[in-house]
Coordinates of all heavy atoms in Angstrom, one line a residue:
S1 N 0.8 -1.2 0.0 CA 0.0 0.0 0.0 C 0.9 1.3 0.0 O 0.6 2.2 -0.7 CB -0.9 0.0 1.2 OG -1.7 1.2 1.3
D2 N 2.0 1.2 0.8 CA 2.9 2.4 0.8 C 3.4 2.6 -0.6 O 3.6 3.7 -1.0 CB 4.0 2.2 1.8 CG 3.6 2.1 3.3 OD1 2.6 2.8 3.6 OD2 4.1 1.4 4.0
M3 N 3.8 1.5 -1.3 CA 4.4 1.6 -2.6 C 3.4 2.2 -3.6 O 3.7 3.1 -4.4 CB 4.8 0.3 -3.1 CG 6.0 -0.3 -2.4 SD 6.4 -2.0 -2.8 CE 7.0 -1.7 -4.5
G4 N 2.1 1.8 -3.4 CA 1.0 2.4 -4.3 C 0.8 3.9 -4.1 O 0.6 4.6 -5.0
N5 N 1.0 4.3 -2.8 CA 0.8 5.7 -2.5 C 2.0 6.5 -2.9 O 1.9 7.7 -3.3 CB 0.6 5.9 -1.0 CG -0.7 5.3 -0.5 OD1 -1.6 5.1 -1.3 ND2 -0.7 4.9 0.7
A6 N 3.2 5.9 -3.0 CA 4.4 6.6 -3.2 C 4.7 6.9 -4.6 O 5.1 8.0 -5.0 CB 5.5 5.8 -2.6
G7 N 4.5 6.0 -5.5 CA 5.0 6.2 -6.9 C 6.4 5.7 -7.0 O 6.8 4.6 -6.5
V8 N 7.2 6.5 -7.7 CA 8.6 6.1 -8.0 C 9.4 6.0 -6.7 O 10.2 5.0 -6.6 CB 9.3 7.2 -8.9 CG1 10.7 6.8 -9.3 CG2 8.5 7.3 -10.2
Y9 N 9.3 6.9 -5.8 CA 10.1 6.9 -4.6 C 9.3 6.8 -3.3 O 8.2 7.4 -3.2 CB 10.9 8.2 -4.5 CG 12.1 8.4 -5.6 CD1 11.8 9.0 -6.7 CD2 13.3 7.8 -5.3 CE1 12.9 9.1 -7.7 CE2 14.3 7.9 -6.2 CZ 14.1 8.6 -7.4 OH 15.1 8.7 -8.3
V10 N 9.8 6.0 -2.4 CA 9.1 5.8 -1.1 C 9.7 6.7 -0.1 O 10.9 6.6 0.2 CB 9.2 4.3 -0.6 CG1 8.4 4.2 0.7 CG2 8.6 3.4 -1.6
F11 N 9.0 7.8 0.4 CA 9.5 8.6 1.4 C 8.9 8.3 2.7 O 9.5 8.4 3.8 CB 9.1 10.1 1.1 CG 10.0 10.7 0.0 CD1 9.6 10.7 -1.3 CD2 11.2 11.3 0.3 CE1 10.4 11.2 -2.3 CE2 12.0 11.9 -0.7 CZ 11.5 11.8 -2.0
E12 N 7.6 7.9 2.7 CA 6.9 7.7 4.0 C 6.2 6.3 4.0 O 5.9 5.7 3.0 CB 5.7 8.8 4.1 CG 6.2 10.2 4.0 CD 5.0 11.2 3.9 OE1 4.2 11.1 3.0 OE2 5.0 12.1 4.8
T13 N 6.0 5.8 5.2 CA 5.4 4.6 5.4 C 4.3 4.7 6.5 O 4.4 5.6 7.4 CB 6.3 3.4 5.9 OG1 7.0 3.9 7.1 CG2 7.4 3.2 4.8
S14 N 3.2 4.0 6.4 CA 2.1 4.1 7.3 C 2.5 3.5 8.7 O 2.0 3.9 9.7 CB 0.9 3.4 6.9 OG 1.2 2.0 6.6
E15 N 3.5 2.7 8.8 CA 4.0 2.1 10.0 C 5.6 2.0 10.0 O 6.2 1.9 8.9 CB 3.5 0.7 10.2 CG 2.0 0.7 10.5 CD 1.5 -0.8 10.7 OE1 1.5 -1.5 9.7 OE2 1.2 -1.1 11.9
D16 N 6.1 2.1 11.2 CA 7.6 1.9 11.4 C 7.7 0.6 12.3 O 6.8 0.2 12.9 CB 8.3 3.0 12.0 CG 8.3 4.3 11.2 OD1 7.9 4.2 10.0 OD2 8.6 5.4 11.7
L17 N 8.9 0.1 12.3 CA 9.2 -1.0 13.3 C 10.2 -0.4 14.3 O 11.1 0.3 13.9 CB 9.9 -2.2 12.6 CG 8.9 -2.9 11.6 CD1 9.7 -4.1 11.0 CD2 7.6 -3.4 12.2
T18 N 10.1 -0.9 15.5 CA 11.1 -0.5 16.5 C 12.5 -1.1 16.2 O 12.5 -2.1 15.5 CB 10.7 -0.9 17.9 OG1 10.7 -2.3 18.0 CG2 9.3 -0.4 18.3
Q19 N 13.5 -0.5 16.7 CA 14.9 -1.1 16.6 C 14.9 -2.4 17.2 O 15.6 -3.3 16.7 CB 15.9 -0.1 17.2 CG 16.1 1.2 16.5 CD 16.8 1.1 15.2 OE1 17.3 0.0 14.8 NE2 16.8 2.2 14.4
E20 N 14.2 -2.6 18.2 CA 14.1 -3.9 18.9 C 13.5 -5.0 18.0 O 14.0 -6.1 18.0 CB 13.3 -3.9 20.3 CG 14.0 -3.0 21.3 CD 13.8 -1.5 21.1 OE1 13.0 -1.1 20.2 OE2 14.5 -0.7 21.8
A21 N 12.5 -4.6 17.3 CA 11.9 -5.6 16.4 C 12.8 -5.9 15.2 O 12.9 -7.1 14.8 CB 10.6 -5.0 15.8
V22 N 13.5 -4.9 14.7 CA 14.5 -5.2 13.6 C 15.5 -6.2 14.0 O 15.9 -7.1 13.3 CB 15.0 -3.9 13.2 CG1 16.2 -4.1 12.2 CG2 14.0 -3.0 12.5
K23 N 16.0 -6.0 15.3 CA 17.1 -6.9 15.8 C 16.5 -8.3 16.1 O 17.1 -9.3 15.7 CB 17.6 -6.3 17.1 CG 18.9 -7.0 17.6 CD 19.5 -6.3 18.8 CE 20.6 -7.1 19.3 NZ 21.3 -6.4 20.5
K24 N 15.4 -8.3 16.8 CA 14.8 -9.6 17.3 C 14.4 -10.5 16.1 O 14.7 -11.7 16.2 CB 13.6 -9.3 18.1 CG 12.9 -10.6 18.7 CD 11.7 -10.3 19.6 CE 10.9 -11.5 20.1 NZ 11.8 -12.3 21.0
Y25 N 13.9 -9.9 15.0 CA 13.4 -10.7 13.9 C 14.3 -10.7 12.7 O 13.9 -11.1 11.6 CB 11.9 -10.3 13.6 CG 11.0 -10.6 14.7 CD1 10.5 -9.6 15.5 CD2 10.5 -11.9 14.8 CE1 9.6 -9.9 16.6 CE2 9.7 -12.2 15.9 CZ 9.2 -11.2 16.8 OH 8.4 -11.5 17.8
N26 N 15.5 -10.2 12.9 CA 16.5 -10.2 11.9 C 16.0 -9.6 10.6 O 16.2 -10.1 9.5 CB 17.1 -11.6 11.7 CG 18.4 -11.7 10.9 OD1 19.1 -10.6 10.9 ND2 18.6 -12.6 10.1
M27 N 15.4 -8.4 10.7 CA 14.8 -7.7 9.6 C 15.9 -7.2 8.7 O 16.9 -6.7 9.1 CB 14.0 -6.5 10.0 CG 12.8 -6.9 11.0 SD 11.5 -7.9 10.1 CE 10.9 -6.7 8.9
K28 N 15.7 -7.3 7.4 CA 16.7 -6.8 6.4 C 16.5 -5.3 6.2 O 15.4 -5.0 5.7 CB 16.6 -7.6 5.1 CG 17.7 -7.2 4.1 CD 19.0 -7.5 4.5 CE 20.1 -7.1 3.5 NZ 21.5 -7.4 3.9
V29 N 17.4 -4.6 6.7 CA 17.3 -3.1 6.4 C 18.2 -2.7 5.2 O 19.4 -3.0 5.2 CB 17.8 -2.3 7.7 CG1 17.7 -0.8 7.4 CG2 17.0 -2.7 8.8
V30 N 17.5 -2.2 4.2 CA 18.2 -1.9 2.9 C 18.5 -0.4 2.8 O 17.7 0.4 3.4 CB 17.4 -2.4 1.7 CG1 17.3 -3.9 1.8 CG2 16.1 -1.7 1.7

């Protein structure tokens, strides 16, 4: 949905993840 709203470039997202979530679930940050 964020991609659909954004178009070519994604600046904003409807939700963020905490740093703890990124670390705990080994999220790929690009």
Side-chain angles (χ1 to χ4, degrees):
S1 177
D2 293 326
M3 292 175 67
N5 296 335
V8 179
Y9 289 93
V10 181
F11 285 93
E12 303 174 304
T13 57
S14 58
E15 292 180 288
D16 295 350
L17 297 182
T18 64
Q19 292 289 352
E20 292 78 9
V22 171
K23 184 177 180 180
K24 180 179 177 66
Y25 293 101
N26 194 28
M27 303 291 295
K28 183 66 177 178
V29 179
V30 298

